[in-house]
Amino acid sequence: MRTHLDTALAGHRYVDMRDRTIDFHRSTSNRAWAARAIASRREGTLGTAIVEGAAHRRSLGVGMPRPGVHGPTHTHEYYALLRHVDDLCRGTAYPERASAPEDEPLIGQLLEAGSRYRANTGMPTVTEYEMASALLAAEQARAGDRPPKLGVVRAQEENR
């Protein structure tokens, strides 16, 4: 984007804008968030990022919201998960694309797990906060030395 802007400003059409400060903002779709989370989980970096991020938050003495404000799943691990996936979204050229073909059904299932229905409209809405809660629950549901199963991800279970 910066390259395109620099090229446009170097031309004769936008001379008046050359002295302005232009800030860039990249929004992230729910699909991008799910794709990065699933890729990190498949690559084995998600669990480590959660543990390290939570430890870092604790070492800094980062406080938690008042009880009841966000819910019982909003722990240091929850916030570390959100931060890790947000960082992945910012650092990936096309974050909404699946990193591997086998990620595709898992992305859809994580999006489904992150859906909740609005009380006032009855319409579903998907948020990274709901997806993070579902993913964190799956990460914490480890069975011995086997990798955790994402409860909503049936395709992965069928392939075992």
Side-chain angles (χ1 to χ4, degrees):
M1 187 54 136
R2 285 198 188 279
T3 303
H4 293 298
L5 178 63
D6 290 343
T7 301
L9 292 177
H12 67 280
R13 278 184 80 181
Y14 303 105
V15 175
D16 294 341
M17 295 190 67
R18 289 184 187 156
D19 62 343
R20 296 189 183 172
T21 301
I22 299 174
D23 190 25
F24 294 91
H25 175 73
R26 178 180 183 180
S27 62
T28 303
S29 68
N30 291 322
R31 179 178 165 75
W33 198 95
R36 294 306 96 224
I38 292 298
S40 180
R41 190 167 192 265
R42 179 182 41 76
E43 294 163 358
T45 59
L46 186 65
T48 303
I50 291 170
V51 170
E52 290 175 357
H56 181 71
R57 288 176 57 85
R58 286 186 184 95
S59 73
L60 295 175
V62 174
M64 297 301 296
R66 290 173 300 168
V69 172
H70 292 284
T73 60
H74 294 71
T75 61
H76 288 297
E77 288 76 13
Y78 170 83
Y79 291 111
L81 170 60
L82 285 172
R83 172 87 185 253
H84 173 66
V85 177
D86 286 344
D87 288 347
L88 292 174
C89 287
R90 281 192 295 279
T92 304
Y94 298 98
E96 70 284 349
R97 292 183 184 170
S99 294
E102 62 268 20
D103 289 353
E104 200 60 55
L106 306 177
I107 293 166
Q109 291 171 8
L110 183 55
L111 286 165
E112 184 179 321
S115 297
R116 64 181 169 90
Y117 288 86
R118 294 179 180 233
N120 59 340
T121 64
M123 299 297 294
T125 183
V126 179
T127 69
E128 68 266 23
Y129 308 111
E130 297 292 329
M131 288 188 286
S133 292
L135 194 54
L136 185 60
E139 281 296 306
Q140 293 175 338
R142 295 185 180 273
D145 61 343
R146 293 179 52 211
K149 293 181 181 180
L150 184 56
V152 297
V153 181
R154 290 168 188 81
Q156 184 179 34
E157 293 174 7
E158 291 172 4
N159 292 332
R160 290 187 178 182

